[in-house]
């Protein structure tokens, strides 16, 4: 039940609030009255605070459903810690039998890549969406942010380490623009045979 509620909060409420904030940002740029611009920006800040609260609630709901020490549970903890530390809102979706298929070495690398990638995102973005899936022996960690695109990431600290961690598991690292104009990082790894 917790997972369903968390999914509904993320898929409906947070997305609608995010769209509302984007609409208000567009409106702020069209007004020529500074007092209106300031009020709109205050509303945007209030929406951002509400999104952070909802995402923290989502983390807490999902964390209750995870086994202690599971990779999914550890990732939720990393996202919660990094969100608070960096001021970044983040959400994650899981697909496939991750907890039963990923060995300890690969799990450590997934956690490290997530930390490095979120630190890089926080340099230019305020929100990141993550997905971690396992399909046919391939782990895919996909991270998109709402920043200004991959330019800042190109020389970012940790990018070489992220690439090395992918290569260690016969995987890849791809960096490009997301559909919303931010950055999309896709990291893959093969399960040990």
């Amino acid at each position: 039940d917790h997972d369903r509620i968390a999914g509904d909060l993320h898929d409906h409420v947070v997305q609608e609030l995010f769209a509302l904030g984007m609409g208000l940002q567009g409106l702020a740029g069209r007004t020529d009255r500074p007092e209106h611009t300031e009020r709109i920006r205050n509303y945007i800040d209030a929406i951002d605070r509400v999104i952070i609260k909802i995402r923290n609630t989502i983390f807490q709901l999902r964390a209750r459903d995870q086994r202690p020490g599971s990779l999914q549970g550890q990732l939720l903890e990393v996202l919660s810690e990094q969100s608070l530390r960096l001021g970044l809102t983040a959400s994650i979706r899981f697909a496939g039998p991750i907890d039963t298929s990923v060995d300890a070495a690969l799990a450590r690398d997934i956690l490290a890549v997530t930390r490095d990638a979120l630190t890089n995102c926080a340099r230019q973005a305020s929100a990141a969406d993550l997905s971690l899936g396992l399909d046919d022996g391939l782990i895919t960690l996909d991270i998109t942010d709402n920043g200004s695109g991959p330019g800042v990431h190109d020389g970012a600290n940790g990018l070489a380490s992220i690439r090395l961690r992918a290569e260690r598991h016969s995987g890849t690292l791809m960096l490009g623009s997301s559909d919303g104009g931010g950055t999309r990082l896709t990291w893959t790894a093969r399960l040990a045979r």
Side-chain angles (χ1 to χ4, degrees), residues 23 40-41 43 49 63 65 89 94 104 111 115 131 165 173:
I40 291 170
R41 295 207 187 284
Y43 292 138
R49 287 192 299 273
D65 289 337
T89 60
F94 300 104
L111 294 168
R115 284 188 189 94
S131 66
R165 289 177 191 278
L173 170 65

Side-chain angles (χ1 to χ4, degrees), residues 21-34:
M22 296 295 285
L24 286 171
Q25 281 182 329
L27 183 62
R30 293 186 183 145
T31 184
D32 56 356
R33 297 184 62 183

Side-chain angles (χ1 to χ4, degrees), residues 9 16 19 21 38 47 111-112 146 170 174:
L9 282 172
E16 287 181 29
E38 182 62 28
I47 289 171
L111 294 168
N146 67 347
S170 302
M174 291 182 290

Side-chain angles (χ1 to χ4, degrees), residues 76-152:
L76 289 169
E77 288 176 20
V78 166
L79 263 62
S80 183
E81 291 165 6
Q82 295 290 82
S83 294
L84 292 173
R85 187 174 71 79
L86 300 170
L88 181 75
T89 60
S91 63
I92 191 166
R93 290 173 304 283
F94 300 104
I98 295 162
D99 283 337
T100 58
S101 303
V102 174
D103 65 26
L106 179 52
R108 282 192 299 274
D109 281 338
I110 291 169
L111 294 168
V113 166
T114 302
R115 284 188 189 94
D116 285 347
L118 289 175
T119 300
N120 288 341
C121 287
R123 292 190 174 109
Q124 63 156 352
S126 61
D129 286 313
L130 295 82
S131 66
L132 181 68
L134 171 59
D135 185 38
D136 197 26
L138 183 70
I139 287 278
T140 303
L141 175 63
D142 196 58
I143 303 173
T144 57
D145 68 34
N146 67 347
S148 56
V152 173

Side-chain angles (χ1 to χ4, degrees), residues 106 113 138-142 159-175 185-190:
L106 179 52
V113 166
L138 183 70
I139 287 278
T140 303
L141 175 63
D142 196 58
L159 201 54
S161 173
I162 291 172
R163 180 171 280 109
L164 181 64
R165 289 177 191 278
E167 291 169 354
R168 181 183 302 161
H169 300 283
S170 302
T172 61
L173 170 65
M174 291 182 290
L175 198 62
L185 181 149
T186 303
W187 183 90
T188 66
R190 285 263 167 218

